[in-house]
Amino acid sequence: MKYAFAKRVRHLQSSAVRDILKIVNQGDVISFAGGLPDDELFPTRAITDAFSRALAKGNKALQYGETEGYRPLREVIIERMQKKAITGFTADDVLLTTGSQQAIDLFARVMISPGDVILTEEPTYLAALQVFQSYEARIIPVKCDEDGMVMADLQDKIKQYKPKMMYVVPTFSNPSGRVWTLERRIDLVKIIHKYHVLVFEDDPYGDIQFTGEGYTPIAALDKGSHVLYTSTFSKTAVPALRTGWIVGPYQIIRMMAQAKQANDLHSNSLAHQALFELCTHFDLDGHIDSIRSVYAKRKTAMVESLTRAKEEGEIHFVEPKGGMFLWLETKPMLNMEALLPRAVEKGIAYVPGAPFFAGKPMQNTLRLNFTHATEEQIQVGMELLTSMFREVNKESVLLK
Amino acid sequence: MKYAFAKRVRHLQSSAVRDILKIVNQGDVISFAGGLPDDELFPTRAITDAFSRALAKGNKALQYGETEGYRPLREVIIERMQKKAITGFTADDVLLTTGSQQAIDLFARVMISPGDVILTEEPTYLAALQVFQSYEARIIPVKCDEDGMVMADLQDKIKQYKPKMMYVVPTFSNPSGRVWTLERRIDLVKIIHKYHVLVFEDDPYGDIQFTGEGYTPIAALDKGSHVLYTSTFSKTAVPALRTGWIVGPYQIIRMMAQAKQANDLHSNSLAHQALFELCTHFDLDGHIDSIRSVYAKRKTAMVESLTRAKEEGEIHFVEPKGGMFLWLETKPMLNMEALLPRAVEKGIAYVPGAPFFAGKPMQNTLRLNFTHATEEQIQVGMELLTSMFREVNKESVLLK
């Protein structure tokens, strides 16, 4: 039987890249493709204890819960938000989600009618683009430089397109690894207040900072009216519990909770209870410090392994100050999607950059994850990658 | 700031009923409103053991998982489906979801374009109606009697409306508690094969059967092409783990998995691993037998407590053969939504029947849950409820 799918999902198709990367995960290849934290660093003992404590509270721990999620965990999150200067919210203004991915999806679901305009960075998070496409939004990328979005272009595009919302990952972006300056953040908030544009601030990586003080979230500069802030325990605790959260104006959170009721009723409330126990009986911030220092070393190993190629002009990149990703630009004639099978044959994998573009893709870009491989694997892998660039350039194979 | 929500959620609003029931859950009222299993019966010890075993497997248990869900659990589900005569599928044809609610939502998301017609029973599951409305489907109810859908009306409506799909809860329906005869199931499959209509068979309650052999799922009568079957561990194990599944034609399951990637990436994979351990180290079927017998006694207590009022013509109902709900029809002039505050004042709560109707609602209906209250509470509660009916009838208050 031939099935007639809904219009909103007809853009979904299994990509060649995904199929290659699926094979990679089964094989003997050093992968820099995924966005995985290192499971060697997981606080499994503490999580086991947390589940024991949650389950010891008796049968009620396993009953249906509130759609908004386990309230004591929402209260802990409010405290953690206050430490980031995101204030003026209560547990009522927090919705727990199945990973922060669901926060993006529910927000789009309650906000986006077909044809509504969403402004994004360029490049931006691939799976957010997929969500927005599935709600038939019109996605308009705004120019970015090393300090964040370019404000002049933002203003022009707000005037031209009258966007419903903006989606930004201002701190250690996926995929670019970049961070907005405070000045840009302040300017952004002025602009969105002036033009009444909602901002969805996606911050899964903000805690993974390698040096200095934390960056001020955009939500901390708003007055609780225009910015929604989402983050997750996936990168700082563990991914399997699929617990993210979103905090923002109550009216919107309330509408998202109603949409969540239709979507999945509520997320896994035992996981919420275990995370509450983890946050109250375990030094999560100390743990974050320790993973930060491991990831910082791996980032340094990656940067050092790429330095020669950078100096020789084979590649360009900005050293990440945090997060999980390094974004590479190669010589303009290279097509990193076309080169992926060759890289896999050599023994490494990456994600080609093109799908992260809402506008015209730069085919000569790629995203490298530095948190899942060891320093040694990173050194071996970057040697393989840069040697491939040299070979291809020598061959003068114009793959574009 | 006033927020402009998407068109698809403008029908969502906090209902008076929901607000009342929220208060009920905090107070000293016997509630027959929720669809809750009895937490006293939860196999908490076995679930604690299952988590211990899952977590003892090491850190990888806490890493990101497949969108489709933990494969060994999908294999266990395939075995359980085979015992229900749902055959011809492999683990590839199963998607694990955050409760079966998410299966309904993802199915609608990949199938329903605005204006597409969905046929449903009348009355039918409220939260499914909410999902279909949110995708702007046109919902057409089909006439039902005590044996299931009326096939003549179904054929007429298929011819008239050319529906994209049907949504049915053929075994111990929510809210009506009714069950389709085998004959109706066989006839339905003939009709959908003839007219090429997809059927979404929602079966959360099928295992909670009070007497005799299990009913043959509609999916067991299909040849794997037209019927998708969904169920959940929420009623048979525990709700908090939010684990449901859907099995059906691979093309559709595949598309739903892609939609799930955008929705929440994947469900809680530690819960999947724990449920796998539970299914392989615990006698889940024996446990289901034991909850069945408790719920059967409660159903009997409810039926007996209502017998006098039925004989006196105050109410009408069909005795449920399984599931969690009893559906009451009162005298035509009663409006059960308007009477809810009065019932709550007396000390009981129920869900008014009107929101379960896709077409013209019968205001004189209500849904009673018999699985969460004890037999004593049921006796007290039904006495309060029927005395209210008598009072109201005496007062001749025409609330309609």
Side-chain angles (χ1 to χ4, degrees):
Chain A
M1 186 175 171
K2 197 164 151 40
Y3 304 103
F5 292 103
K7 192 174 153 231
R8 76 176 67 79
V9 292
R10 287 187 201 143
H11 71 281
L12 289 177
Q13 39 196 332
S14 200
S15 74
V17 169
R18 189 179 291 158
D19 292 344
I20 292 167
L21 294 179
K22 212 163 183 178
I23 295 162
V24 163
N25 293 336
Q26 296 152 12
D28 198 22
V29 166
I30 308 174
S31 179
F32 303 98
L36 305 187
D38 187 351
D39 40 74
E40 294 289 327
L41 304 174
F42 289 165
T44 303
R45 179 61 193 271
I47 284 173
T48 304
D49 291 348
F51 270 95
S52 299
R53 271 194 302 274
L55 283 160
K57 293 198 171 165
N59 292 12
K60 291 225 185 297
L62 293 166
Q63 188 54 281
Y64 280 106
E66 281 185 276
T67 299
E68 292 80 359
Y70 185 59
R71 194 174 179 96
L73 181 60
R74 286 186 278 140
E75 281 161 1
V76 165
I77 285 168
I78 284 294
E79 281 169 32
R80 294 183 69 83
M81 293 297 89
Q82 282 165 349
K83 287 186 198 156
K84 290 182 184 290
I86 298 173
T87 58
F89 295 108
T90 73
D92 288 329
D93 309 314
V94 180
L95 177 68
L96 301 183
T97 52
T98 306
S100 55
Q101 184 69 35
Q102 196 192 28
I104 304 173
D105 186 59
L106 291 174
F107 182 74
R109 185 165 172 152
V110 305
M111 281 295 160
I112 300 304
S113 294
D116 280 349
V117 171
I118 301 177
L119 302 183
T120 67
E121 293 158 283
E122 182 84 318
T124 189
Y125 175 47
L126 170 59
L129 291 177
Q130 285 169 343
V131 171
F132 302 148
Q133 282 161 1
S134 81
Y135 291 105
E136 301 173 67
R138 187 171 172 205
I139 304 165
I140 304 289
V142 179
K143 275 182 205 149
C144 294
D145 62 22
E146 287 179 23
D147 292 334
M149 240 179 212
V150 175
M151 291 297 127
D153 192 50
L154 173 63
Q155 289 223 47
D156 288 349
K157 285 187 172 147
I158 288 178
K159 286 178 198 161
Q160 186 178 350
Y161 295 105
K162 312 218 176 322
K164 187 75 167 276
M165 62 168 279
M166 300 176 60
Y167 170 82
V168 292
V169 191
T171 311
F172 321 132
S173 155
N174 176 1
S176 80
R178 302 216 184 141
V179 54
W180 290 32
T181 60
L182 179 62
E183 198 189 342
R184 289 284 172 92
R185 293 168 193 245
I186 291 169
D187 287 347
L188 177 82
V189 171
K190 280 184 199 152
I191 291 171
I192 60 164
H193 283 184
K194 181 171 172 193
Y195 294 99
H196 296 295
V197 179
L198 287 178
V199 169
F200 188 100
E201 179 177 22
D202 189 5
D203 188 28
Y205 313 107
D207 283 330
I208 315 292
Q209 171 160 4
F210 300 144
T211 48
E213 286 295 300
Y215 292 89
T216 307
I218 291 167
L221 304 167
D222 182 39
K223 288 185 186 72
S225 58
H226 288 68
V227 180
L228 289 99
Y229 175 94
T230 186
S231 189
T232 174
F233 287 103
S234 294
K235 316 307 195 242
T236 51
V238 294
L241 302 185
R242 306 298 303 123
T243 302
W245 67 87
I246 180 161
V247 57
Y250 177 74
Q251 279 180 67
I252 296 176
I253 296 296
R254 177 81 204 112
M255 191 60 102
M256 287 175 68
Q258 291 191 42
K260 183 167 168 62
Q261 211 148 26
N263 182 196
D264 65 5
L265 203 55
H266 66 82
S267 296
N268 190 297
S269 58
L270 182 64
H272 297 172
Q273 295 168 71
L275 282 166
F276 170 75
E277 297 293 336
L278 189 82
C279 288
T280 52
H281 288 80
F282 171 71
D283 180 11
L284 183 59
D285 290 317
H287 174 71
I288 293 170
D289 280 341
S290 73
I291 60 176
R292 248 185 215 148
S293 77
V294 175
Y295 291 166
K297 281 182 203 150
R298 291 178 185 180
K299 178 269 301 175
T300 302
M302 186 171 275
V303 166
E304 285 175 358
S305 306
L306 291 169
T307 299
R308 206 185 100 204
K310 188 180 185 184
E311 287 171 359
E312 289 173 356
E314 298 273 354
I315 53 174
H316 174 73
F317 64 86
V318 175
E319 182 167 351
K321 291 174 180 153
M324 299 171 68
F325 303 110
L326 186 143
W327 178 251
L328 269 196
E329 218 179 299
T330 65
K331 290 196 171 168
M333 69 281 205
L334 297 196
N335 180 321
M336 294 313 300
E337 194 167 325
L339 281 171
L340 181 58
R342 183 162 169 171
V344 170
E345 197 147 305
K346 277 184 163 290
I348 54 158
Y350 55 81
V351 182
F356 295 94
F357 288 81
K360 190 176 178 294
M362 289 174 69
Q363 300 287 0
N364 62 324
T365 55
L366 60 153
R367 189 193 77 177
L368 295 170
N369 167 274
F370 51 75
T371 60
H372 194 249
T374 63
E375 288 175 60
E376 275 177 15
Q377 288 173 319
I378 289 171
Q379 283 153 2
V380 173
M382 292 307 104
E383 182 52 39
L384 290 169
L385 183 68
T386 51
S387 74
M388 182 180 79
F389 292 146
R390 277 184 214 105
E391 281 165 30
V392 174
N393 285 332
K394 252 187 221 159
E395 291 163 20
S396 296
V397 177
L398 301 178
L399 285 153
K400 246 190 167 172
Chain B
M1 185 176 170
K2 197 165 150 40
Y3 305 102
F5 292 103
K7 191 174 154 232
R8 75 176 68 78
V9 292
R10 284 182 206 150
H11 71 282
L12 290 177
Q13 37 195 334
S14 200
S15 74
V17 170
R18 189 179 290 158
D19 292 345
I20 293 169
L21 296 178
K22 213 165 182 175
I23 294 164
V24 164
N25 293 335
Q26 296 154 10
D28 198 22
V29 166
I30 308 174
S31 179
F32 304 98
L36 305 187
D38 186 351
D39 41 71
E40 294 290 327
L41 304 173
F42 289 166
T44 303
R45 179 61 194 272
I47 284 173
T48 305
D49 291 348
F51 271 94
S52 300
R53 271 194 301 275
L55 284 159
K57 292 197 171 166
N59 291 12
K60 291 224 182 302
L62 293 166
Q63 187 55 279
Y64 280 107
E66 280 184 274
T67 298
E68 291 80 357
Y70 186 58
R71 193 173 180 96
L73 181 60
R74 287 187 277 140
E75 280 161 2
V76 164
I77 285 168
I78 284 294
E79 280 169 32
R80 293 182 71 83
M81 292 297 91
Q82 282 165 351
K83 287 186 198 157
K84 289 182 184 290
I86 298 173
T87 57
F89 294 109
T90 74
D92 289 329
D93 308 315
V94 180
L95 177 68
L96 300 184
T97 52
T98 306
S100 56
Q101 185 68 36
Q102 195 192 28
I104 304 173
D105 185 60
L106 291 175
F107 182 74
R109 183 165 173 152
V110 305
M111 280 295 159
I112 300 303
S113 294
D116 280 350
V117 171
I118 301 177
L119 302 183
T120 67
E121 292 159 283
E122 181 84 317
T124 191
Y125 176 47
L126 171 59
L129 290 177
Q130 285 169 343
V131 171
F132 302 147
Q133 282 161 0
S134 81
Y135 291 105
E136 299 172 72
R138 187 172 170 205
I139 303 165
I140 304 290
V142 179
K143 276 183 204 144
C144 294
D145 62 22
E146 288 180 22
D147 292 334
M149 241 180 211
V150 175
M151 290 298 126
D153 192 50
L154 173 62
Q155 288 223 45
D156 288 349
K157 283 182 174 153
I158 288 178
K159 285 178 197 162
Q160 187 179 350
Y161 295 104
K162 310 217 177 325
K164 186 76 167 276
M165 63 170 278
M166 299 176 60
Y167 170 81
V168 292
V169 191
T171 310
F172 320 133
S173 155
N174 177 359
S176 81
R178 301 213 185 146
V179 53
W180 291 32
T181 59
L182 180 61
E183 200 188 340
R184 289 283 172 91
R185 293 167 193 246
I186 291 170
D187 288 347
L188 176 83
V189 171
K190 279 183 199 154
I191 291 171
I192 58 164
H193 282 185
K194 182 172 171 190
Y195 294 100
H196 295 295
V197 179
L198 287 179
V199 169
F200 188 101
E201 180 178 20
D202 189 4
D203 189 27
Y205 312 108
D207 283 332
I208 315 291
Q209 171 159 5
F210 300 144
T211 49
E213 285 297 301
Y215 292 89
T216 306
I218 292 168
L221 303 167
D222 181 40
K223 290 186 186 71
S225 57
H226 289 67
V227 181
L228 290 99
Y229 176 94
T230 185
S231 189
T232 173
F233 287 102
S234 294
K235 316 306 194 243
T236 52
V238 295
L241 302 185
R242 307 297 305 123
T243 302
W245 67 87
I246 182 163
V247 55
Y250 177 73
Q251 280 180 66
I252 296 176
I253 296 296
R254 178 81 205 110
M255 190 62 100
M256 287 175 68
Q258 291 189 42
K260 183 168 167 61
Q261 211 147 28
N263 183 196
D264 66 4
L265 204 55
H266 65 82
S267 296
N268 190 296
S269 59
L270 182 64
H272 296 172
Q273 294 169 69
L275 282 166
F276 170 75
E277 298 293 336
L278 189 81
C279 289
T280 51
H281 289 79
F282 171 72
D283 180 11
L284 183 59
D285 290 317
H287 174 72
I288 293 170
D289 279 342
S290 73
I291 59 176
R292 246 185 218 151
S293 76
V294 175
Y295 290 165
K297 281 182 204 149
R298 293 178 184 178
K299 179 267 303 173
T300 302
M302 185 170 277
V303 166
E304 285 175 358
S305 306
L306 292 169
T307 299
R308 206 185 98 202
K310 189 180 183 184
E311 287 171 357
E312 290 172 356
E314 298 274 354
I315 54 172
H316 173 72
F317 64 86
V318 175
E319 180 168 350
K321 292 175 179 150
M324 299 171 68
F325 303 109
L326 187 142
W327 179 250
L328 269 197
E329 217 178 298
T330 66
K331 288 194 173 171
M333 68 280 202
L334 298 195
N335 180 322
M336 294 312 301
E337 194 167 326
L339 282 170
L340 182 58
R342 182 159 170 173
V344 169
E345 196 145 306
K346 277 185 162 290
I348 55 159
Y350 55 79
V351 182
F356 295 94
F357 288 81
K360 189 175 178 298
M362 288 174 69
Q363 299 288 359
N364 62 323
T365 55
L366 60 151
R367 189 193 77 177
L368 295 170
N369 168 274
F370 51 74
T371 61
H372 193 249
T374 63
E375 288 174 59
E376 275 177 16
Q377 288 173 317
I378 288 170
Q379 283 154 0
V380 173
M382 292 308 102
E383 182 52 39
L384 291 169
L385 183 67
T386 52
S387 73
M388 181 179 81
F389 292 146
R390 277 184 215 105
E391 282 165 31
V392 174
N393 285 331
K394 255 187 220 160
E395 291 162 20
S396 295
V397 177
L398 301 178
L399 286 152
K400 248 190 162 171

